[in-house]
Amino acid sequence: MLDIPLSVLAAQVFTGLVLGMIFVLLAIGLSLIFGLMTVVNFAHGSFYMLGAYFGFFLLGFTKSFWAALFLAPLMVGCLGLLIERFLIRRLYGRSPDDPLLLTFGLSLILIETVRLVWGKIGLTLSPPPLLAKAVNLGFMVFPTYRLFVLGATIVVLIGLWLFLERTNVGLIIRAGSRDALMVRALGIDLGRIWLLVFGIGSALAGLAGILAGPMRGVYAEMGVNVVIESFVVVVVGGMGSLVGAIVAGVLLGQVVGLTTFFAPKLTEISIFVVMAVVLLVRPSGLFGETGLME
Amino acid sequence: MATSLIRGVTGWINAHPLMSFVVFFSVFPLWLPSTALATQILIFGLFALGFNLLYGYTGILSFGHAAYYGLGAYGTGIALAKLGLGSIWLGLACGLAAALVGGVIIGFFCLRRRGIYFAMLTLAFAQLLYFIGFHLADLTGGDDGLRGIPQLRVGLPGFSVSIESSFAFYYFSFVLVALAVAGLTRILGSPFGAILRAIRENSERAAACGYDISRAKLLSFVFSAMFTGLAGSLDALRLTVVPIESLYWTTSGQVVIMTLLGGAGTFLGPFVGAAAFLALEYRLSLITESWPLVIGVIFSAFVLFLPKGIWGTLTGGRHGHQSA
Amino acid sequence: MNRRSFLAGTSAAVATAAFPAVLRAQAKDPIRIGFPLPLTGPFGALAADMQRGGQLAVDELNAKGGVLGRRVECLFRDDQLKPAVGAQRTKELIENDKVQFVVGGLAAHVQMAINEQTKKSKVLFVSCSQSDEISAKPDTSPITFHEALNPTITCRIMGKWAAENLGKKWWIVYADYAWGKQCNNVLTETLKKNGGTLLGATPYPLGSAEFSAHLPKIQAAKPDVLMNVAPGADNIALHKQVASFGMRKDMKMAQPLLWISYLKEGGAELYEDVYGLINWYWELQDTIPSAKKFVEGSMRKFNIPPGDYGAYAYSGVLEVARGVELAKSTDSEAVANALRKNPVYNHFKGKQWWRSCDNKSFQDAWIVKGRGPGKVKGEWDLMDIVSKVSGNEEQDRTCAEKGLA
């Protein structure tokens, strides 16, 4: 451990930080939906995948990455709205496992539909030339695009924070996560809020997808591993806690980064081990509240 | 008139699950043209049966049931292929023991939490087992799977029977699965079974009635693991390989689909679900490469409109539960 | 919903699981070849190529009057890239569809499970999968034949060429599973033999498309060559990320296998000057007459040139046919013996032959590299042929090393 140059270690930590922020972006959409609706959204990975595919389509259509970046999450968000309104809403009041099962089924449908429409071979999503470079940070050379993703995630987090803390709708959402019954008793129609939250959550997943596309490629299976990872991040942070999602995402990014550096064979299991340890010590994750989602 | 006839028949079947099982499955391969499919349905039905004890009857959803299926399969496979124990019974016993131990240890840790946290912990443990199985390649064959499980004869007092033919293997499995089904009817019919159902309905109330629900949950978990493990052991003998995917979360997902399709919380639902899923998969994959789409649509339609599953709807069974 | 219609539906669903084919009661039964392959899942495109190759072979055989006067058919079944499903489908093919032979399997772990079934039922199996184990003890058998290349052959060839031509200081990134590990071992050994140094080798979990955590270390080590031992979508992701970290200008990229589907999916720019080995590339038609015939056949039938796995399938099916003709029988053991007695064959790319101890096919292979986007003209002319490597039994382990002396 001692004969590793500091610059290499710094490079690894920084890479892990950016990786962690990608985890955060993936997790916040999931956590938001959990927190308010207590819905376990297995289709999260599929929304991520759709963000990338819609991005590809829009890029071809508009020839502008920025337009695609703006519109693709909106498209995914709209799909999310439709799914909530016409499918998931039917399941409220029934067994709490039902939305989980339904979204699982939906993910099968979405993955296969994408294969039918866009073919079995994956696609290439190119970042704009402005971002397709690498910048010398001194201790390492780092892709400009990843820095952009880091920046975009921070902007989104700030926007989300402002939305939740400073707007009336945000207030209702936060109150609804604490005590849905009470909010209803106050005469507020949670149905429309749930619709909105599901839409926002799916849009966030879609945004993560189109941001990830240029880094990892676009293919139908891209969401499958991601959904498991996102679940782990959300569970470690605590269901419904956005602060938890952020802390957990950054933590797990470092875990993956450092495990890859020191013990690469253990990378695959590292996040599960961390999750198991966290859950056995803190029953509801790092920042979760006992009683929620139990 | 037809409805009441169906109700009558299914009601009788529900009241006599063991007999119905024996009658149906003893002649199953005689009319189903594919014995291979029949055996697969029998074994996966057992897998779903085990899962259903925990999910449908105790109300606890586990994401990691592949762990016990895999432990049963590897236990038997390693005993026969690597340790060279020359007896099928010993092999099965090893598989069962592995699943039992796994169930006790994993259940002990995971049941400390509830709901989605419990489910994620079961997933974590199953993935841990997968990881171990993957990397202990000398013992398990790693990702190439454990190969070379010998086709032993079944030793009975005085003589031995070959189960090499598909037909013979089916009936061998049938006897064992029937024993498991009998065991389950005893469990569910006992006061313990009633406690499980009480936990499913409302675990706080069950606790308030003075039952030791922690112990009951753990016992249910362990029984569930053992039934599932037996299914794994039988599959190891059937395929003479144990693929590493036996421990992967996709296997856990499959059993959830089958149980839901058939009808969670019904006794024979798991077998109906396994039959429906496997027959569909077999048939559909001959017709179209997009068969996962069809399965996804069917599954989602069930969740939305027929949450009781096929058998549940036919028998007017119950739906849903409060998570325990 | 009406329960009655439901009950009817349910029983119908189970009943229609009846196996579909009615046995044709005609004078001569066709010769049936079972063909499990991963039509669904991440390698669907490769499987589609395999299916085309197999179908082309069948059509050509039937156009010539069949084999021993009998029609040939290939029964393609989806193995979903899962061993349990592959084993189940193979069982059904053998028991219900009464196939006499099995060709196929793409994924190594699936073909192991298929092989267990074919060995049990004494059915000849020609594997089209990249695997070291299938032609060695304890998995191989007198009726297990291996048409495709394996990690040892691929990595010895590619390793030697890369060490001689690209650079002597390497880093290897490999998928942490059987194929990846085998490649890593053979590449490391070959590099040493050729006077090179391995600066580092990092495994990654198969299927994970995120490599950024590997790259700082590699950047710091400054290798001449980065060996990309990642399959499928991971291969593309690794190239993308290496390029995005600005590492391409200081390193050469090489990999054991360069499938044409990589270039189609990742793009010519990404794969420009990436070196790899391949068993077949359609532009070989410019220099080999039998290759031209093969490519034309495929273009006529599918309007797509045959790819690497399509070539394996084509050859595998034709070899089964050749064995049946030689043995004048469809008995697997007789066919296997006939193939061993007459091991040399040439269907589309040059001389190939079976080694008798392990039924391993030896064949020519080619070092190729990605053609840059400026030079690509059509949809499929994506690679430049750099060098031909003739088949040679020293490329694989010896019979003794496989436990089969």
Side-chain angles (χ1 to χ4, degrees):
Chain A
M1 177 121 180
L2 301 165
D3 56 343
I4 298 168
L6 190 61
S7 61
V8 180
L9 200 56
Q12 195 70 24
V13 169
F14 184 73
T15 309
L17 174 67
V18 178
L19 182 61
M21 289 309 265
I22 297 174
F23 278 150
V24 171
L25 189 61
L26 280 167
I28 38 175
L30 200 59
S31 195
L32 200 61
I33 293 176
F34 271 139
L36 179 68
M37 305 160 70
T38 65
V39 162
V40 179
N41 180 20
F42 245 99
H44 186 72
S46 308
F47 289 141
Y48 165 85
M49 170 199 66
L50 282 173
Y53 271 94
F54 287 158
F56 175 84
F57 166 72
L58 288 163
L59 185 61
F61 200 62
T62 66
K63 305 273 184 272
S64 156
F65 181 79
W66 306 105
L69 186 64
F70 181 68
L71 292 172
L74 284 181
M75 281 176 75
V76 179
C78 286
L79 181 65
L81 291 176
L82 290 172
I83 288 178
E84 198 281 342
R85 177 69 187 79
F86 293 111
L87 295 177
I88 300 186
R89 189 167 292 201
R90 289 169 174 271
L91 302 176
Y92 296 142
R94 297 203 328 205
S95 161
D97 298 319
D98 281 1
L100 185 160
L101 295 171
L102 178 65
T103 50
F104 177 68
L106 284 176
S107 67
L108 295 176
I109 296 175
L110 289 171
I111 293 177
E112 207 47 45
T113 308
V114 160
R115 280 210 194 95
L116 276 173
V117 173
W118 277 283
K120 297 184 189 191
I121 296 189
L123 305 168
T124 297
L125 187 59
S126 300
L130 180 68
L131 296 176
K133 302 193 195 37
V135 58
N136 192 330
L137 297 173
F139 55 91
M140 73 181 300
V141 176
F142 202 75
T144 316
Y145 186 76
R146 284 194 182 236
L147 292 175
F148 166 67
V149 171
L150 176 65
T153 306
I154 294 176
V155 166
V156 166
L157 285 175
I158 294 175
L160 200 59
W161 183 84
L162 286 172
F163 174 68
L164 287 173
E165 294 288 320
R166 294 288 152 90
T167 66
N168 283 342
V169 180
L171 182 61
I172 297 173
I173 292 175
R174 281 185 294 128
S177 317
R178 282 285 185 85
D179 195 335
L181 194 57
M182 200 59 202
V183 171
R184 276 216 215 84
L186 290 171
I188 295 171
D189 175 15
L190 270 186
R192 302 219 334 241
I193 306 294
W194 285 356
L195 185 65
L196 180 67
V197 165
F198 200 83
I200 295 177
S202 0
L204 286 169
L207 177 65
I210 184 176
L211 284 174
M215 294 189 290
R216 300 177 182 178
V218 177
Y219 50 102
E221 297 79 24
M222 66 192 282
V224 172
N225 277 353
V226 153
V227 72
I228 300 281
E229 282 169 0
S230 308
F231 266 96
V232 172
V233 172
V234 172
V235 166
V236 168
M239 303 294 203
S241 163
L242 289 189
V243 171
I246 295 173
V247 170
V250 173
L251 171 68
L252 287 170
Q254 285 308 318
V255 166
V256 171
L258 294 172
T259 319
T260 307
F261 193 84
F262 291 108
K265 283 195 175 269
L266 298 176
T267 314
E268 190 169 17
I269 202 64
S270 57
I271 58 172
F272 288 104
V273 169
V274 169
M275 177 176 79
V277 166
V278 166
L279 281 182
L280 291 173
V281 168
R282 286 187 66 84
S284 311
L286 294 172
F287 291 88
E289 293 176 29
T290 338
L292 197 64
M293 274 315 294
E294 286 201 348
Chain B
M1 202 244 131
T3 312
S4 54
L5 176 65
I6 291 175
R7 275 277 203 158
V9 170
T10 55
W12 187 91
I13 294 178
N14 251 6
H16 304 86
L18 179 59
M19 201 184 320
S20 312
F21 171 84
V22 168
V23 164
F24 181 82
F25 279 97
S26 56
V27 297
F28 194 35
L30 299 175
W31 60 266
L32 192 72
S34 168
T35 310
L37 181 64
T39 318
Q40 203 191 18
I41 289 174
L42 190 64
I43 294 178
F44 272 91
L46 176 62
F47 188 1
L49 191 78
F51 174 78
N52 194 32
L53 171 61
L54 193 64
Y55 177 56
Y57 283 98
T58 321
I60 299 175
L61 176 59
S62 146
F63 283 165
H65 253 58
Y68 320 107
Y69 173 83
L71 281 170
Y74 276 107
T76 300
I78 291 174
L80 294 178
K82 298 280 178 178
L83 299 177
L85 301 182
S87 147
I88 281 200
W89 301 115
L90 274 181
L92 286 172
C94 288
L96 215 57
L100 169 68
V101 169
V104 169
I105 297 177
I106 298 176
F108 174 72
F109 281 109
C110 295
L111 284 167
R112 296 152 91 87
R113 301 289 170 254
R114 300 157 74 198
I116 187 70
Y117 297 106
F118 162 82
M120 289 301 281
L121 270 175
T122 59
L123 175 66
F125 276 97
Q127 285 301 105
L128 185 64
L129 278 175
Y130 171 80
F131 182 80
I132 293 172
F134 197 100
H135 288 280
L136 280 183
D138 290 331
L139 185 64
T140 63
D143 59 294
D144 279 331
L146 181 68
R147 287 105 58 205
I149 300 177
Q151 293 243 270
L152 297 172
R153 296 173 69 89
V154 177
L156 293 165
F159 62 106
S160 71
V161 181
S162 159
I163 49 169
E164 263 191 52
S165 84
S166 236
F167 216 64
F169 189 84
Y170 175 87
Y171 281 103
F172 170 68
S173 311
F174 166 68
V175 168
L176 291 173
V177 176
L179 286 173
V181 168
L184 189 64
T185 44
R186 288 299 305 270
I187 292 174
L188 290 175
S190 71
F192 173 67
I195 299 177
L196 296 183
R197 287 189 195 77
I199 293 175
R200 177 185 67 195
E201 296 305 321
N202 191 325
S203 57
E204 281 90 7
R205 199 191 303 154
C209 288
Y211 295 114
D212 184 349
I213 60 167
S214 301
R215 206 183 73 104
K217 282 191 201 177
L218 182 61
L219 260 180
S220 172
F221 195 95
V222 171
F223 277 128
S224 170
M226 286 175 68
F227 285 122
T228 304
L230 179 61
S233 296
L234 285 172
D235 244 1
L237 294 174
R238 184 175 72 100
L239 298 175
T240 66
V241 300
V242 182
I244 190 66
E245 284 77 15
S246 309
L247 289 166
Y248 202 55
W249 60 267
T250 46
T251 303
S252 300
Q254 249 189 349
V255 76
V256 174
I257 296 181
M258 287 186 207
T259 308
L260 188 92
L261 269 183
T266 66
F267 194 91
L268 293 171
F271 287 100
V272 175
F277 180 83
L278 292 169
L280 263 178
E281 186 194 65
Y282 174 65
R283 242 358 220 143
L284 286 175
S285 64
L286 291 173
I287 301 174
T288 166
E289 275 168 30
S290 296
W291 60 266
L293 178 62
V294 180
I295 298 256
V297 169
I298 292 177
F299 180 70
S300 304
F302 267 85
V303 176
L304 282 170
F305 305 116
L306 288 165
K308 299 185 201 170
I310 298 174
W311 191 245
T313 310
L314 278 176
T315 60
R318 54 172 322 288
H319 161 60
H321 57 88
Q322 312 306 311
S323 59
Chain C
M1 235 207 218
N2 190 327
R3 279 168 225 218
R4 177 200 191 188
S5 56
F6 226 72
L7 182 65
T10 318
S11 23
V14 173
T16 49
F19 71 101
V22 175
L23 279 181
R24 277 166 233 128
Q26 60 185 31
K28 280 196 161 170
D29 264 345
I31 295 178
R32 291 193 194 83
I33 301 178
F35 206 123
L37 72 171
L39 293 167
T40 53
F43 291 115
L46 290 174
D49 182 26
M50 269 179 103
Q51 188 170 17
R52 286 192 294 268
Q55 194 56 55
L56 185 64
V58 163
D59 291 346
E60 283 183 7
L61 288 168
N62 287 332
K64 284 193 284 208
V67 176
L68 297 184
R70 294 161 69 170
R71 266 180 55 86
V72 183
E73 9 180 88
C74 253
L75 282 72
F76 297 98
R77 298 285 183 264
D78 185 6
D79 68 28
Q80 301 176 33
L81 211 69
K82 294 183 187 148
V85 179
Q88 179 73 11
R89 294 288 101 89
T90 307
K91 242 187 201 295
E92 289 156 3
L93 282 166
I94 294 174
E95 286 174 22
N96 306 336
D97 300 298
K98 307 270 187 282
V99 301
Q100 292 105 337
F101 309 102
V102 175
V103 175
L106 196 149
H109 61 326
V110 178
Q111 65 129 32
M112 304 289 200
I114 295 173
N115 189 38
E116 289 291 307
Q117 294 301 315
T118 53
K119 280 197 294 190
K120 203 159 53 154
S121 308
K122 307 211 186 358
V123 170
L124 181 81
F125 174 44
V126 179
S127 164
C128 296
S129 166
Q130 312 261 354
S131 156
D132 269 343
E133 295 94 333
I134 192 73
S135 59
K137 269 248 170 76
D139 293 285
T140 193
S141 79
I143 50 169
T144 304
F145 282 70
H146 189 208
E147 168 69 30
L149 297 176
N150 63 29
T152 302
I153 295 176
T154 323
C155 293
R156 280 189 185 169
I157 297 176
M158 193 59 207
K160 180 163 184 296
W161 190 90
E164 287 172 355
N165 295 280
L166 296 179
K168 296 261 195 260
K169 290 189 297 184
W170 287 11
W171 193 287
I172 303 177
V173 174
Y174 66 99
D176 199 3
Y177 78 119
W179 179 80
K181 289 192 277 204
Q182 283 156 3
C183 283
N184 179 45
N185 290 339
V186 177
L187 284 170
T188 306
E189 192 190 305
T190 311
L191 177 64
K192 267 214 231 12
K193 266 215 195 85
N194 285 276
T197 347
L198 186 65
L199 298 178
T202 35
Y204 79 91
L206 179 67
S208 144
E210 184 53 57
F211 292 94
S212 60
H214 295 261
L215 301 179
K217 237 191 192 173
I218 302 177
Q219 247 183 18
K222 300 203 202 314
D224 300 324
V225 178
L226 180 62
M227 269 288 175
N228 180 342
V229 185
D234 299 350
N235 189 284
I236 296 172
L238 179 56
H239 280 301
K240 273 192 203 276
Q241 288 163 33
V242 164
S244 77
F245 273 72
M247 290 161 68
R248 285 281 278 261
K249 50 181 170 38
D250 305 315
M251 277 184 327
K252 293 268 202 281
M253 301 294 296
Q255 50 194 67
L257 289 169
L258 188 57
W259 295 330
I260 195 162
S261 54
Y262 286 147
L263 285 117
K264 205 104 191 23
E265 185 170 336
E269 192 184 330
L270 187 66
Y271 280 87
E272 184 170 8
D273 291 336
V274 171
Y275 292 89
L277 187 73
I278 199 62
N279 62 303
W280 158 261
Y281 174 46
W282 68 273
E283 282 185 9
L284 288 169
Q285 68 171 354
D286 296 333
T287 45
I288 303 175
S290 49
K292 197 164 159 71
K293 192 162 105 20
F294 179 37
V295 174
E296 281 173 356
S298 187
M299 292 304 284
R300 246 198 318 269
K301 203 170 155 62
F302 305 110
N303 209 23
I304 303 176
D308 16 73
Y309 277 92
Y312 288 141
Y314 182 73
S315 185
V317 170
L318 290 179
E319 271 304 278
V320 167
R322 188 176 75 95
V324 171
E325 290 273 4
L326 286 167
K328 302 260 178 288
S329 143
T330 55
D331 171 63
S332 287
E333 208 182 312
V335 171
N337 288 332
L339 287 175
R340 276 190 287 272
K341 272 224 194 66
N342 303 273
V344 178
Y345 61 104
N346 180 345
H347 294 299
F348 66 102
K349 67 175 187 180
K351 176 180 169 203
Q352 293 182 238
W353 72 96
W354 300 108
R355 184 164 65 177
S356 59
C357 71
D358 57 356
N359 305 329
K360 177 84 201 71
S361 159
F362 285 88
Q363 54 194 274
D364 297 336
W366 287 264
I367 310 276
V368 287
K369 77 172 168 98
R371 196 174 271 168
K375 299 181 234 147
V376 166
K377 287 179 225 84
E379 203 189 332
W380 294 100
D381 61 328
L382 303 163
M383 300 198 282
D384 285 329
I385 298 176
V386 173
S387 150
K388 170 174 160 180
V389 181
S390 299
N392 181 331
E393 287 185 13
E394 289 188 6
Q395 290 158 353
D396 198 4
R397 293 180 287 167
T398 63
C399 297
E401 283 169 335
K402 292 190 179 185
L404 294 165

